[in-house]
Amino acid sequence: MTGPAAAAGPGRRRFAWIFALPVLLVALVLGGAGTASAHASLDSTDPVSGSTLPSGPPTVTLRFSESVSTELGGVKVLDPAGKRVDSGNPEHGIGGGSTVRVKLLSGLGPGTYTVAWRVVSDDSHPVSGAFTFNVIRASAGANVSGLGQGTDSAVNFADGVARWAAFLSFALLSGSVLFLVALRPAAVGRFRVWMLLFASWAGLLVSTVAALMFYGPRASGLSFSSAFDLDVLRVTLDSKLGRALSVRILVLGAAGALLGYLVAVLGEAERRARIVLGSAWVLLSTGLAATWSMADHASVGRQAPLATAADIVHLLAMGCWIGGLAVMLTLLFGPDRDEDGEELPGGLDVPAVGTFSKAAMASVSVLAVTGVYAAWRQVGSFDALFSTTFGLLLILKVNFVVLMIAAAWVARRWLQARLRSRAGAGARAGDPLPQRRTLQRAVGAEAALAIAVIAVTAVLVNTEPGRTAWEREQATKPRTVSVTQQYDAGGSAGIAAGKGLVEAVVDPARTGTNTVDVFVRDPQKNPIDPPEVTAAIALPDKQIDGITLALEHIGPGQWRAQNVSLPMAGTWQLSVSVRTSEIDRATVTLPVKVR
């Protein structure tokens, strides 16, 4: 196409992409999603947190929202003096991988006992916490500081740098090789290009080894020096992430061998050989990307296979874009001639930059679709998007990506005009690049923003997903649950007419100790006092039979049961029986959601 319409089309399409990404994000976040479990949360404990027992329990049991491991963590139970009273060997209970149980010593004395726990969730991230229970009576509890509830700041910093370097090195390595194979095979002979390839491969190897060393101390809450402890490393290698990192090192060995072969033969390789080499490199890059996706947020929860595949594609698209940018920068800022004045092979020309422009936009499209899907799965609501650390980091990442797209659009708009002006004769390989300095600045800005995107991504993958963080925050907020239902016990007149309303109020409707208030009213909502009101509560889903509540009449139409222990989260069934005469009785069942 030529003429004004053709001239406006490409620019408008690129400009539209600047706004399409955040619009898609907002639309899909609004759509909601099913629960995408990640970062295990503690659902319930036995003994219940804050409860008082008549004697010491034989075990302490913790139930989580997903499978967890304790090899890099553990459970410590301390008496009021701070002495350990557990066996030191936590194991999975009847609930499988989501339940952790530790045996206690017999003959526990009276006082407050502290349970400090640290586990690794199924998405390879450490989670920790503490709670207390009382035996016979409460007392001063043990000091939980120094029990490994936090992580050494030096370990966090080193681990963060390793994760960022690994992401950057992977993007540079995977995409730069593809760029060279597809567009500029002769450029592999340039020293700067060769150094880019070697530095990317070496950077990914070193950062992976560093991540392997520091994962154990971060997951266990140990000091920086423990990164060099062989026992810690041995346990790390048996973990989910440890196995993934080990596989990455093995794949990197194969990638290094292929990279060496590519450097040696790519400059003279024919088209068919380049296709074979490029296909082999794509397979190895996919294997490297999978070592992230199969051990992180994407690997757990609903739609895990689809989420894992989408995450792998997301990483590959990121590599195609950023790796190609790196080679372009290397060629743009590098010399075009050697010391003897001979032109260096593989220089950039108009057709090559135009082809990469199209490939970059395709990569952006893939990044947008897969990124929005991940956001939809891991955020799920505007509340989680704007009030959690994960959501705010995601917004920051989207902003950086939008700026990258804008920089790319500005940088390449002149190229489209250049190509259209040559539509009659066609742009030819070897044509000089117009406005080279403008392209250098724009591509440099795009690359700088890409580094910022990778930095935010490295933090994102180690941050609790917005959905689970929001749900956990809501679950810990003080609240009450109120449920009302009509009853009809029969009868002929007055109270004996047997019709009215039963309202149950449970406060705070969380696992642990609760207060249950039962209100009985006539059809006009006036309080009434039937001859007898009884209640029981059960959790059928967890095979917990009805627990009779000790109701106390405390006012007109109001009965209260205090210190009601609800040990597990779920929808409990509160059965209230109202007797209105010697023979008339009605029982209603009220659902009570406990978090």
Side-chain angles (χ1 to χ4, degrees):
M1 292 181 61
T2 59
R12 287 177 179 174
R13 284 195 297 272
R14 280 155 179 73
F15 195 73
W17 269 109
I18 298 176
F19 299 98
L21 186 63
V23 169
L24 283 172
L25 175 63
V26 169
L28 286 180
V29 166
L30 274 174
T35 300
S37 178
H39 272 65
S41 59
L42 182 63
D43 279 347
S44 62
T45 63
D46 184 15
V48 175
S49 176
S51 62
T52 300
L53 309 177
S55 61
T59 61
V60 168
T61 303
L62 298 88
R63 302 177 183 88
F64 294 89
S65 58
E66 67 177 53
S67 295
V68 297
S69 63
T70 59
E71 288 76 8
L72 288 169
V75 179
K76 298 179 180 180
V77 184
L78 309 178
D79 65 12
K83 180 181 177 182
R84 290 190 64 168
V85 293
D86 61 275
S87 64
N89 296 306
E91 58 186 7
H92 292 299
I94 298 177
S98 61
T99 302
V100 176
R101 180 180 61 186
V102 63
K103 295 180 180 179
L104 302 183
L105 303 178
S106 59
L108 298 183
T112 297
Y113 289 77
T114 302
V115 182
W117 55 270
R118 190 178 187 94
V119 298
V120 176
S121 58
D122 204 29
D123 62 357
S124 303
H125 293 87
V127 187
S128 62
F131 67 94
T132 62
F133 66 90
N134 307 311
V135 175
I136 302 177
R137 63 177 182 271
S139 68
N143 185 2
V144 297
S145 61
L147 292 180
Q149 297 303 303
T151 304
D152 190 294
S153 59
V155 171
N156 277 336
F157 177 79
D159 181 72
V161 170
R163 283 185 279 110
W164 175 82
F167 272 120
L168 179 61
S169 299
F170 168 78
L172 293 175
L173 179 64
S174 60
S176 59
V177 172
L178 288 178
F179 183 97
L180 292 169
V181 171
L183 298 177
R184 278 293 172 268
V188 76
R190 295 194 181 195
F191 178 74
R192 292 193 179 194
V193 173
W194 182 85
M195 283 298 298
L196 171 65
L197 299 178
F198 174 77
S200 301
W201 180 85
L204 184 53
L205 178 62
V206 171
S207 60
T208 299
V209 172
L212 188 62
M213 293 175 61
F214 288 108
Y215 174 65
R218 181 171 67 87
S220 303
L222 300 176
S223 64
F224 185 90
S225 61
S226 62
F228 307 95
D229 189 323
L230 292 180
D231 291 333
V232 175
L233 180 60
R234 189 178 301 110
V235 177
T236 300
L237 289 172
D238 288 334
S239 67
K240 183 178 180 179
L241 183 61
R243 291 190 293 270
L245 293 175
S246 300
V247 171
R248 187 185 304 169
I249 292 174
L250 293 176
V251 177
L252 269 174
L258 180 58
L259 186 61
Y261 182 73
L262 277 167
V263 170
V265 305
L266 185 58
E268 305 296 331
E270 297 182 354
R271 184 173 182 273
R272 179 175 296 181
R274 287 163 52 195
I275 292 175
V276 173
L277 292 173
S279 300
W281 186 258
V282 169
L283 288 175
L284 287 174
S285 297
T286 302
L288 290 173
T291 61
W292 275 281
S293 305
M294 298 184 70
D296 221 309
H297 294 152
S299 65
V300 297
R302 295 184 180 182
Q303 303 178 347
L306 176 60
T308 300
D311 195 59
I312 291 173
V313 173
H314 187 85
L315 289 171
L316 292 175
M318 176 189 71
C320 287
W321 188 6
I322 296 176
L325 282 177
V327 177
M328 283 187 62
L329 280 174
T330 303
L331 296 177
L332 281 172
F333 286 93
D336 291 328
R337 297 182 180 277
D338 60 18
E339 296 177 353
D340 298 327
E342 296 291 332
E343 185 174 352
L344 293 172
L348 287 176
D349 56 19
V350 171
V353 178
T355 302
F356 175 70
S357 178
K358 296 175 182 178
M361 291 310 299
S363 298
V364 169
S365 302
V366 173
L367 284 169
V369 173
T370 54
V372 167
Y373 170 67
W376 172 69
R377 184 172 177 268
Q378 296 181 15
V379 178
S381 69
F382 272 120
D383 289 333
L385 182 64
F386 291 103
S387 62
T388 64
T389 301
F390 186 93
L392 295 176
L393 286 171
L394 183 62
I395 293 172
L396 180 62
K397 179 180 177 179
V398 169
N399 286 333
F400 278 138
V401 171
V402 169
L403 290 174
M404 285 177 65
I405 297 172
W409 177 74
V410 170
R412 292 163 191 151
R413 188 177 181 183
W414 63 268
L415 178 63
Q416 295 299 329
R418 176 82 175 183
L419 292 177
R420 286 193 297 273
S421 68
R422 299 184 177 190
R428 297 179 299 275
D431 288 344
L433 284 172
Q435 303 177 18
R436 183 185 182 97
R437 185 172 297 276
T438 300
L439 185 60
Q440 288 176 339
R441 292 173 179 173
V443 174
E446 189 177 349
L449 289 168
I451 293 175
V453 169
I454 293 175
V456 176
T457 302
V459 178
L460 263 177
V461 298
N462 198 46
T463 302
E464 182 177 9
R467 181 189 299 276
T468 52
W470 172 255
E471 291 175 350
R472 177 175 49 78
E473 180 183 348
Q474 295 306 302
T476 57
K477 283 185 175 180
R479 70 186 188 99
T480 60
V481 170
S482 176
V483 188
T484 303
Q485 189 170 320
Q486 294 181 343
Y487 72 89
D488 186 353
S492 57
I495 292 177
K499 295 181 179 180
L501 302 172
V502 171
E503 179 185 6
V505 177
V506 181
D507 182 24
R510 295 203 307 260
T511 56
T513 303
N514 289 258
T515 298
V516 178
D517 285 292
V518 176
F519 300 88
V520 182
R521 300 182 176 91
D522 63 17
Q524 289 73 40
K525 298 185 179 180
N526 298 313
I528 56 176
D529 290 331
E532 183 182 43
V533 175
T534 59
I537 193 166
L539 185 59
D541 291 345
K542 301 295 184 180
Q543 290 78 49
I544 298 179
D545 298 330
I547 303 171
T548 301
L549 305 185
L551 293 179
E552 178 185 359
H553 186 236
I554 62 172
Q558 181 179 0
W559 287 258
R560 174 174 294 172
Q562 295 181 324
N563 298 321
V564 178
S565 178
L566 303 178
M568 302 181 69
T571 302
W572 290 72
Q573 303 298 321
L574 177 62
S575 299
V576 179
S577 180
V578 179
R579 182 171 65 83
T580 59
S581 70
E582 294 294 332
I583 59 174
D584 298 315
R585 180 186 296 270
T587 300
V588 296
T589 301
L590 307 171
V592 177
K593 188 174 182 180
V594 175
R595 296 187 180 184

